[in-house]
Amino acid sequence: MTPSRAQFLRAFCNEFGAFAPESFWAASGSVLAAACNGVGPDRWPAWFRHILTWLLRPLEASAMIHDWEYSLPDKSYRGFTLSNLHLAANVMLEAVYDCRPACMMMGFFAAFVCQVFGWFAYLNGRPRP
């Protein structure tokens, strides 16, 4: 992800009223881009995450916040669960904002998958530079 793409997605997140920590809103585009890997965990190949991000474009802005939260130093189970709940809520907000009701369930599914299978990815989240 490029810094300009990260800034664009952050502006979009602000537009639809996304839930994100204060540090997300204050970070530079390059720092956001460095923390974001697209849709999917770091252990998946970059080419696959790129395709998945393209296929699941409605999740991209919310996934960026999710990646940001996974990169934060707090590695508590509470922080992990809140990050996954934010993902579900943000996808729903984005779907309502963009009038895409069919996408609403994607947030619940993505958050569920992250909650069940994402603990290791959260503990080893890509650190911010």
Side-chain angles (χ1 to χ4, degrees):
M1 173 178 296
T2 65
S4 61
R5 179 75 179 156
Q7 289 174 324
F8 171 80
L9 289 174
R10 179 177 47 204
F12 180 60
C13 289
N14 187 46
E15 229 175 271
F16 72 80
F19 294 100
E22 281 299 316
S23 59
F24 173 81
W25 304 112
S28 69
S30 58
V31 172
L32 283 176
C36 185
N37 69 358
V39 177
D42 278 338
R43 70 176 180 267
W44 289 357
W47 65 267
F48 185 70
R49 286 193 320 269
H50 179 73
I51 291 170
L52 195 58
T53 300
W54 180 77
L55 289 172
L56 298 175
R57 174 109 27 227
L59 290 177
E60 187 179 18
S62 298
M64 185 173 76
I65 295 172
H66 193 252
D67 286 349
W68 179 261
E69 290 181 320
Y70 269 44
S71 76
L72 296 175
D74 172 24
K75 297 300 180 184
S76 68
Y77 192 76
R78 179 184 181 278
F80 168 68
T81 302
L82 281 174
S83 176
N84 294 328
L85 289 172
H86 287 161
L87 177 63
N90 287 337
V91 171
M92 285 183 56
L93 287 169
E94 188 176 351
V96 169
Y97 180 82
D98 274 353
C99 298
R100 295 178 302 184
C103 295
M104 291 178 97
M105 293 310 294
M106 289 171 65
F108 287 114
F109 179 73
F112 174 77
V113 168
C114 289
Q115 189 68 29
V116 173
F117 299 108
W119 178 243
F120 182 75
Y122 180 77
L123 290 177
N124 297 294
R126 179 185 303 205
R128 289 181 285 152

